[in-house]
Amino acid sequence: MTGDGKSEEQYSFNLPDTALGGGDCEKDGTNAMLHITWEGGFILHMEFKVKDDPKLPKSWYASVIELTYNVSMFPDAVQEELHTSKSKKDLECFKAVFGNSYKCMSSKQIDLLNDDNKTTIMEVSRVQIQPFSVPDTGAFSSATECQADSAPKAPLDNVIPIAVAATLAALILVIIIIYFVTKKYNSSSYKAMD
């Protein structure tokens, strides 16, 4: 988390194993809520909606993210005080095809506005969630991967073979040029025998 303004503060944490989760689903199955609380006064509240566009496959996304945290976690904090930061309107985060989970190992930054109308940046990584159509086993369904994870990475494996091939091609070209230059030079210094 990063507070915006003249005094910028950062605090990093992992969601502990002792975190408690719960949630609610509306009867029509188009909205769901997830609440996660953990030690230190942290509360993460997420609201999910179903998007049913006839032109696209049915999907779901997080429409609201709200994080409550205790400012005493920052080194300069004078007193213990709870702050709440909430996502901006029209958030469409963690999108996935309906019936799938959302999975993202890469970092994603989400801008939230705190009580003082300052931006708080929440950075999340290694996320897998599924608010709708959860199998009876409790395990996640197949995952819709985030764009950062599924995008083709810069092919570093191809750089070395390309560099070696380019070097060999240049070397062969130099050898051919030297051959023809030497052949021309050597052939002009000899006279034909009569």
Side-chain angles (χ1 to χ4, degrees):
M1 286 187 301
T2 305
D4 193 358
K6 289 185 180 175
S7 62
E8 187 176 277
E9 299 174 319
Q10 286 190 316
Y11 181 75
S12 297
F13 59 89
N14 291 318
L15 191 64
D17 294 337
T18 57
L20 301 173
D24 301 309
C25 294
E26 290 187 7
K27 289 182 182 180
D28 64 1
T30 59
N31 294 309
M33 289 176 274
L34 172 67
H35 312 282
I36 302 173
T37 59
W38 64 98
E39 193 176 333
F42 287 97
I43 303 169
L44 179 62
H45 170 80
M46 299 174 80
E47 293 180 20
F48 301 92
K49 290 187 176 185
V50 173
K51 190 174 200 173
D52 201 2
D53 184 343
K55 298 175 186 174
L56 300 169
K58 188 176 180 180
S59 61
W60 62 265
Y61 61 93
S63 59
V64 174
I65 296 177
E66 186 176 287
L67 178 65
T68 301
Y69 56 95
N70 195 328
V71 295
S72 65
M73 67 186 171
F74 295 109
D76 301 0
V78 179
Q79 62 186 22
E80 213 170 284
E81 187 179 346
L82 291 179
H83 278 217
T84 300
S85 295
K86 190 174 183 178
S87 59
K88 299 173 183 174
K89 290 190 184 258
D90 302 325
L91 177 73
E92 282 196 22
C93 192
F94 308 129
K95 297 177 194 175
V97 174
F98 195 83
N100 284 10
S101 65
Y102 169 87
K103 184 176 183 179
C104 192
M105 302 311 283
S106 302
S107 283
K108 177 176 183 59
Q109 291 187 344
I110 303 165
D111 290 344
L112 307 174
L113 289 176
N114 69 16
D115 303 330
D116 301 328
N117 231 12
K118 293 181 180 176
T119 302
T120 301
I121 299 170
M122 183 174 83
E123 185 172 312
V124 295
S125 61
R126 296 177 302 202
V127 173
Q128 187 165 10
I129 51 178
Q130 183 174 355
F132 301 101
S133 300
V134 178
D136 293 337
T137 61
F140 290 110
S141 297
S142 54
T144 298
E145 287 191 5
C146 65
Q147 201 169 17
D149 286 356
S150 61
K153 305 286 188 244
L156 293 177
D157 296 343
N158 294 342
V159 172
I160 293 173
I162 290 171
V164 169
T167 305
L168 286 174
L171 184 61
I172 290 170
L173 185 62
V174 168
I175 291 171
I176 291 172
I177 291 171
I178 291 173
Y179 170 77
F180 283 114
V181 167
T182 345
K183 184 177 178 183
K184 183 177 181 181
Y185 177 74
N186 287 340
S187 67
S188 64
S189 65
Y190 293 109
K191 294 185 178 176
M193 293 176 73
D194 291 330

